[in-house]
């Protein structure tokens, strides 16, 4: 057994310690800008509900939206599921979700709880659909998928869906957006202490993780899009709400403030005071238990 081998025992506990450091750093990454995030990020489109309900072949009784943030991906289920639980480890993000819940007259079928993806407070085989909107890449996939498979009913669905950043609008603005975020990510890595650096798994490997887990009988990637109205302030703030930029600014990369202001001015000039339609492209990777 592993516990009779000192080398394997050391590796096991070292891996556990590393995973705990990663989880803590990933949660702390989203502290301090929950209102900015909530006001500017896209709400999950109704296509998510339509696609997943079609595959489930019935109205879902229980939904778990894991890593739900401010609830942008939870509220879309209000008229389409009997019970919805938003699971979010960040106190800041969860507080905004609860505020929105109160503003909508505290719908009884929806609740928000603190929790981690690998330790869900749910009985085995009790959930119809688990979603991760813009969040699965912050979760350790092996332990998370085992836990999702535990709580899903037979025939239940796990779906991770993400936007492609930046949203489609203008190629020059999009190029500046990508340059700004790439620099911010680089500065965040330079400034963060090694044991406090956030870690994200490659989104392009989500489907591979689902398939290689051996926990799902069917898996697939689905792509779709959603048009939303947007003004210059919102478009610029979508960039500002990116975790890498926020992290770098919190760590003292002050030069990014002036670079962001230059970006904001370019966005304002391009929008020219108008509200425009911008395109959010989505990629959903799903598995059916």
């Amino acid at each position: 057994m592993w516990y009779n081998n000192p080398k394997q025992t050391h590796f096991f506990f070292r891996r556990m310690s590393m995973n705990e450091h990663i989880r803590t750093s990933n949660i702390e990454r989203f502290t301090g800008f929950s209102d900015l995030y909530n006001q500017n990020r896209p709400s999950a489109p109704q296509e998510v509900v339509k696609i997943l309900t079609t595959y489930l072949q019935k109205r879902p009784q229980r939904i778990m939206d894991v890593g739900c943030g401010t609830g942008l991906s939870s509220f879309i289920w209000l008229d389409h599921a009997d019970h919805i639980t938003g699971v979010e480890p960040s106190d800041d993000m969860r507080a905004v979700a609860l505020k929105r819940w109160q503003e909508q007259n505290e719908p009884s079928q929806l609740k928000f709880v603190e929790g981690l993806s690998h330790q869900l407070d749910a009985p085995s085989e009790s959930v119809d659909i688990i979603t991760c909107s813009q969040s699965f890449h912050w979760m350790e996939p092996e332990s998370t998928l085992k836990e999702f498979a535990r709580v899903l009913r037979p025939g239940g669905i796990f779906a991770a869906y993400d936007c492609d950043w930046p949203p489609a609008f203008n190629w020059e603005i999009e190029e500046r957006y990508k340059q700004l975020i790439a620099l911010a990510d680089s500065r965040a890595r330079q400034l963060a202490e090694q044991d406090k650096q956030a870690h994200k798994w490659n989104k392009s490997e989500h489907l591979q993780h689902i398939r290689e887990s051996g926990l799902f009988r069917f898996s697939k990637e689905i792509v779709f899009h959603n048009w939303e109205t947007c003004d210059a302030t919102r478009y610029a703030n979508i960039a500002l709400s990116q975790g890498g930029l926020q992290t770098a600014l919190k760590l003292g990369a002050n030069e990014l403030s002036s670079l962001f202001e230059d970006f904001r001015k370019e966005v304002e000039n391009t929008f020219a005071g108008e509200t425009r339609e911008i395109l959010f492209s989505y990629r959903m990777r799903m598995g059916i238990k």
Side-chain angles (χ1 to χ4, degrees), residues 15-280:
R15 182 181 180 187
M16 287 183 63
S17 177
M18 288 176 61
N19 285 341
E20 289 306 315
H21 279 308
I22 288 171
R23 290 185 184 108
T24 300
S25 298
N26 287 359
I27 293 168
E28 291 177 352
R29 181 182 175 92
F30 292 94
T31 299
F33 63 105
S34 54
D35 285 326
L36 176 73
Y37 186 104
N38 183 64
Q39 291 166 8
N40 297 287
R41 290 292 186 98
S43 296
Q46 285 295 320
E47 292 293 336
V48 171
V49 173
K50 188 173 182 179
I51 291 168
L52 297 181
T53 302
T54 297
Y55 272 97
L56 190 67
Q57 301 180 39
K58 62 180 180 181
R59 177 186 171 92
Q61 293 181 340
R62 293 192 177 275
I63 300 285
M64 293 195 83
D65 184 26
V66 182
C68 69
T70 62
L72 291 169
S73 50
S74 307
F75 286 94
I76 63 168
W77 290 98
L78 275 179
D79 297 325
H80 306 282
D82 298 333
H83 303 281
I84 309 115
T85 301
V87 181
E88 174 53 48
S90 166
D91 292 339
D92 279 14
M93 292 286 186
R94 199 170 61 258
V96 174
L98 287 169
K99 182 181 178 181
R100 295 183 64 204
W101 177 75
Q102 292 169 346
E103 291 171 348
Q104 296 195 28
N105 299 317
E106 303 182 1
S108 59
Q109 70 269 45
L110 172 62
K111 64 179 180 179
F112 293 98
V113 301
E114 182 179 6
L116 297 169
S117 63
H118 68 297
Q119 294 175 333
L120 298 176
D121 184 14
S124 297
E125 299 188 355
S126 63
V127 178
D128 294 300
I129 295 173
I130 295 176
T131 57
C132 289
S133 173
Q134 319 280 3
S135 61
F136 186 56
H137 54 290
W138 296 113
M139 305 171 189
E140 194 285 311
E142 183 177 352
S143 59
T144 293
L145 289 172
K146 285 181 180 178
E147 181 70 344
F148 287 179
R150 180 187 70 81
V151 304
L152 281 172
R153 295 186 173 111
I157 302 170
F158 162 56
Y161 57 97
D162 303 276
C163 287
D164 286 346
W165 300 117
F169 167 60
N170 172 284
W171 74 267
E172 293 171 305
I173 293 298
E174 291 175 46
E175 190 62 27
R176 287 296 302 274
Y177 184 119
K178 290 188 289 185
Q179 291 172 359
L180 177 65
I181 299 306
L183 177 58
D185 287 340
S186 176
R187 293 292 285 134
R189 288 192 297 270
Q190 292 171 0
L191 294 170
E193 297 177 24
Q194 187 66 34
D195 63 349
K196 293 183 179 180
Q197 291 192 8
H199 176 80
K200 57 183 176 182
W201 281 262
N202 194 327
K203 295 179 183 179
S204 65
E205 295 177 359
H206 285 352
L207 188 60
Q208 178 182 343
H209 289 308
I210 292 170
R211 288 175 173 169
E212 291 182 351
S213 73
L215 298 168
F216 301 91
R217 70 178 85 177
F218 176 84
S219 57
K220 181 174 183 175
E221 178 173 328
I222 298 173
V223 294
F224 55 98
H225 65 263
N226 190 53
W227 290 95
E228 292 194 22
T229 58
C230 185
D231 60 12
T233 298
R234 184 190 177 199
Y235 196 97
N237 283 343
I238 289 172
L240 186 59
S241 75
Q242 296 290 326
L245 181 52
Q246 286 292 318
T247 299
L249 289 170
K250 285 188 285 186
L251 291 171
N254 297 325
E255 73 279 9
L256 291 173
S257 295
S258 60
L259 292 174
F260 174 73
E261 285 307 313
D262 291 341
F263 172 75
R264 183 193 294 277
K265 290 176 183 177
E266 287 195 35
V267 172
E268 289 176 350
N269 290 336
T270 304
F271 272 82
E274 297 181 359
T275 298
R276 307 284 187 89
E277 290 285 310
I278 62 172
L279 183 71
F280 288 94

